[in-house]
Amino acid sequence: MTAHRSDDEAVRARLEELRTDLLKRSVRDRSSARSSSGRRTIGADLEDVDRAIRMLEKGTYGICEACGEPISPDRLDANPAARFCLKDQRSLER
């Protein structure tokens, strides 16, 4: 279980880093001439990161919210706050 705990800690650290980055962008965007739609996108990204952190705490991190199957490690590496597996994400975007 120790390996699992260290994996969780690494994921949490990555999510926290992403959250900090998004917060910095949010502050920067508020002071720039960017549209409010940009801030909404950052807000949605922050919500996804916070959701991923809660899922990590509950032990459900990395599980697709649509089908309940594991999200591939490659997808989570690319987007640690991914809510859906690639198949279901593509279905949602259609």
Side-chain angles (χ1 to χ4, degrees):
M1 274 210 224
T2 307
H4 181 65
R5 178 174 287 151
S6 66
D7 289 345
D8 285 358
E9 289 171 5
V11 170
R12 178 182 268 291
R14 186 149 182 241
L15 288 165
E16 292 291 349
E17 182 180 315
L18 181 57
R19 188 176 197 291
T20 299
D21 212 33
L22 288 165
L23 287 169
K24 285 178 185 176
R25 280 191 2 210
S26 175
V27 169
R28 196 171 46 239
D29 286 353
R30 256 185 255 143
S31 63
S32 74
R34 291 187 182 210
S35 71
S36 62
S37 65
R39 283 193 293 277
R40 274 194 297 260
T41 299
I42 291 172
D45 289 346
L46 276 168
E47 287 176 21
D48 286 346
V49 169
D50 289 341
R51 182 182 293 106
I53 291 170
R54 287 191 305 273
M55 292 176 79
L56 185 64
E57 291 168 352
K58 291 192 302 187
T60 59
Y61 175 78
I63 304 298
C64 177
E65 291 181 22
C67 69
E69 293 295 318
I71 300 171
S72 74
D74 288 343
R75 177 152 171 76
L76 291 172
D77 283 344
N79 179 6
R83 297 174 57 192
F84 305 102
C85 66
L86 195 53
K87 181 182 131 232
D88 286 321
Q89 184 67 48
R90 286 181 179 150
S91 293
L92 289 169
E93 292 173 354
R94 289 186 189 148

